[in-house]
Amino acid sequence: MYITGASELPLHSGHVPPYLLQYMKRLGKAIAMYILDEFGPTTLVKRLSDPLWFQAFNNVIGMDWDSSGSTTVVLYVLKDFANVNTFKDIGFAILGGKGIDSRQISEELKALERYSNLDIDRLSYSSRLSAKIDGVALQDGYTLYIHGMAISEDSTWTIIQQGMNINIKQARRYHIYSSNIITAENDPHSGIACNNVGVALNLIDRESHRARKTIIDIVNDDVHSVIREIAEINRMLRRNSTLTKWINKEHSISTNKRYIDPNKNPLFYRPITNLSRIENILRHIASIEPKNFDELLLMRNVGPETIRALALVADIIYSDTPSFRDPVTHAIDPFIYAYAHGGKDGIPYPIKINVMKESIEFLERAIIEAKIDDKTKKDSLKRLHRLWKDILNSIIHEKDFKDQ
């Protein structure tokens, strides 16, 4: 079983004020610890796989409702109390993070090897393949710079990744959840949410089945022939703007198979930037002979350019066109949750520290009481629900009054 999704967020400037970050950490811990105590670590891992729930959590603790920094803040708020050092006590941890921290997951997993219930090999494999799925097999114009992992004591995991499109200054967040092994040969995204839908090189789509098979066939065939085909395709792509004299339709490329319109997918139909590097990687691939697409993706140095070059051969030479579908299914608008305590940027209103303090104290008291007996636990949960409804109703009433 696996569930995934993604959200797209604009790039914001500025940092969380230190005083506010302390409240975010305290409230985030209180919410997460209540879930851990009431429902268990696996439930929290699964909830983090839902991009709407993830964003709502971000909003409730006071982070900007639509900021690209929300991913970083949520991960580090959780990791502050749920990490390798505390895993034994709470059965839940956040690994990795932004930038250099994203490359620490392997070391952090090694530190957890002493816990016999954890399948470290499977967790490591899932981490590496997830990064290749969203960074290589799916090429949508976003470059990954955050790679985090939430794990529970039974080896259930959620990968949370984020990529940045520097041209439009927007970030896209990807979630992959599973209690099993995933594969790039079966689109692992059950829900991707963002406001912008474009085109992509989508080799994890069902419609890319033939393209994936052809790619594996050609890398295990005559490597010299593949290199020549890529070089020829590259020459065509480099001079596509002057090829109108070859054909009837402007801005298309004539091949011995059909006409190719580069404008159909500019992310895909563009020249390879470093042919000599691609040639060296292809020779290495040929010496290994990968059995399937997952093995190819996980090979060292096989990145977006290599996969795109092979997909171009599959498309232009063998007529097995990959999917160009940007795997977006619905838009996310969790703005209502920003009314819980306000937002760092003052939207929908400046954070009400007193209300945040009340929520924190209520949750922390509920957690302590919940450890006493089941009746107290249930009563605490009912009071928490009533408090939330009262806060939400008063805020909505206040907003409606101002709008009149």
Side-chain angles (χ1 to χ4, degrees):
M1 175 182 179
Y2 56 80
I3 302 173
T4 65
S7 58
E8 189 165 3
L9 304 165
L11 177 63
H12 283 199
S13 58
H15 301 281
V16 179
Y19 82 93
L20 179 56
L21 183 60
Q22 294 307 311
Y23 283 112
M24 286 181 171
K25 287 180 178 179
R26 191 175 166 190
L27 180 55
K29 178 180 180 179
I31 294 171
M33 288 301 294
Y34 195 97
I35 294 171
L36 289 171
D37 183 63
E38 181 69 18
F39 303 105
T42 301
T43 295
L44 182 55
V45 170
K46 185 174 182 179
R47 290 187 181 183
L48 289 169
S49 72
D50 181 343
L52 176 58
W53 192 94
F54 188 100
Q55 194 64 27
F57 180 88
N58 162 81
N59 296 350
V60 168
I61 65 174
M63 187 58 182
D64 303 347
W65 77 278
D66 64 343
S67 171
S68 62
S70 62
T71 306
T72 303
V73 167
V74 170
L75 288 177
Y76 285 113
V77 161
L78 293 173
K79 193 171 184 178
D80 186 63
F81 74 91
N83 49 60
V84 171
N85 296 324
T86 62
F87 185 78
K88 180 180 180 181
D89 296 324
I90 63 178
F92 167 81
I94 296 291
L95 312 180
K98 179 180 178 181
I100 191 171
D101 289 339
S102 68
R103 298 186 287 275
Q104 301 302 315
I105 288 182
S106 294
E107 293 302 315
E108 290 175 310
L109 284 173
K110 288 180 181 178
L112 295 174
E113 284 183 328
R114 60 184 179 275
Y115 301 113
S116 58
N117 291 336
L118 287 180
D119 189 341
I120 299 299
D121 290 339
R122 178 164 63 82
L123 290 169
S124 179
Y125 177 88
S126 301
S127 169
R128 290 184 292 112
L129 184 58
S130 294
K132 287 296 188 84
I133 284 173
D134 287 329
V136 178
L138 174 60
Q139 299 183 31
D140 52 9
Y142 296 79
T143 303
L144 295 183
Y145 69 101
I146 292 177
H147 179 68
M149 188 176 204
I151 62 172
S152 67
E153 56 194 0
D154 65 353
S155 293
T156 300
W157 56 270
T158 286
I159 293 291
I160 300 136
Q161 302 181 122
Q162 186 157 292
M164 179 63 68
N165 185 318
I166 60 174
N167 294 322
I168 61 175
K169 294 184 178 180
Q170 284 195 332
R172 179 176 288 192
R173 188 173 64 237
Y174 310 83
H175 300 242
I176 302 177
Y177 163 84
S178 184
S179 56
N180 296 303
I181 296 293
I182 60 169
T183 174
E185 296 187 354
N186 183 17
D187 186 351
H189 296 91
S190 64
I192 294 183
C194 63
N195 294 326
N196 296 323
V197 179
V199 293
L201 170 57
N202 187 350
L203 286 166
I204 56 176
D205 195 14
R206 181 181 303 174
E207 295 180 4
S208 291
H209 171 73
R210 288 179 60 87
R212 289 193 301 265
K213 183 179 184 303
T214 300
I215 287 172
I216 296 302
D217 289 342
I218 61 180
V219 297
N220 289 321
D221 196 5
D222 182 3
V223 65
H224 301 292
S225 175
V226 177
I227 291 172
R228 285 195 301 271
E229 290 168 343
I230 291 175
E232 177 60 26
I233 290 171
N234 219 41
R235 283 192 291 271
M236 294 167 55
L237 292 172
R238 286 191 181 281
R239 54 183 183 171
N240 67 75
S241 61
T242 64
L243 289 183
T244 54
K245 64 182 181 180
W246 288 19
I247 55 179
N248 296 323
K249 187 176 180 181
E250 190 176 2
H251 299 312
S252 296
I253 298 173
S254 176
T255 74
N256 60 343
K257 296 287 185 182
R258 65 198 190 286
Y259 294 124
I260 302 297
D261 182 3
N263 295 319
K264 186 177 181 181
N265 189 344
L267 287 172
F268 182 55
Y269 294 118
R270 56 187 175 85
I272 303 298
T273 56
N274 192 335
L275 274 180
S276 60
R277 183 174 183 274
I278 298 299
E279 290 175 7
N280 291 332
I281 294 173
L282 288 175
R283 290 189 177 94
H284 175 67
I285 294 172
S287 68
I288 302 296
E289 298 184 351
K291 299 181 183 65
N292 53 53
F293 194 64
D294 289 351
E295 285 190 17
L296 174 63
L297 281 181
L298 288 170
M299 290 181 65
R300 186 177 180 83
N301 295 324
V302 172
E305 280 286 83
T306 303
I307 293 299
R308 185 168 67 86
L310 292 169
L312 282 167
V313 174
D315 175 29
I316 294 176
I317 304 299
Y318 297 98
S319 299
D320 289 327
T321 304
S323 170
F324 296 153
R325 182 180 66 89
D326 190 352
V328 173
T329 57
H330 60 280
I332 273 186
D333 184 11
F335 188 72
I336 186 172
Y337 294 99
Y339 284 93
H341 303 106
K344 174 179 70 67
D345 59 354
I347 297 174
Y349 55 81
I351 289 179
K352 295 183 177 180
I353 294 296
N354 289 336
V355 177
M356 182 179 276
K357 284 182 179 179
E358 184 178 357
S359 298
I360 292 170
E361 290 169 0
F362 185 94
L363 278 168
E364 290 177 340
R365 186 168 60 252
I367 292 169
I368 293 172
E369 291 176 357
K371 296 182 183 298
I372 300 173
D373 57 57
D374 288 339
K375 183 180 183 302
T376 306
K377 183 185 297 184
K378 292 176 182 177
D379 291 343
S380 298
L381 187 58
K382 290 177 181 178
R383 292 200 304 274
L384 175 62
H385 181 66
R386 287 197 298 270
L387 174 65
W388 161 244
K389 288 184 67 175
D390 290 343
I391 293 173
L392 184 59
N393 289 334
S394 64
I395 290 170
I396 293 175
H397 177 74
E398 180 181 346
K399 180 178 181 296
D400 291 340
F401 178 78
K402 289 180 179 180
D403 291 341
Q404 291 177 355

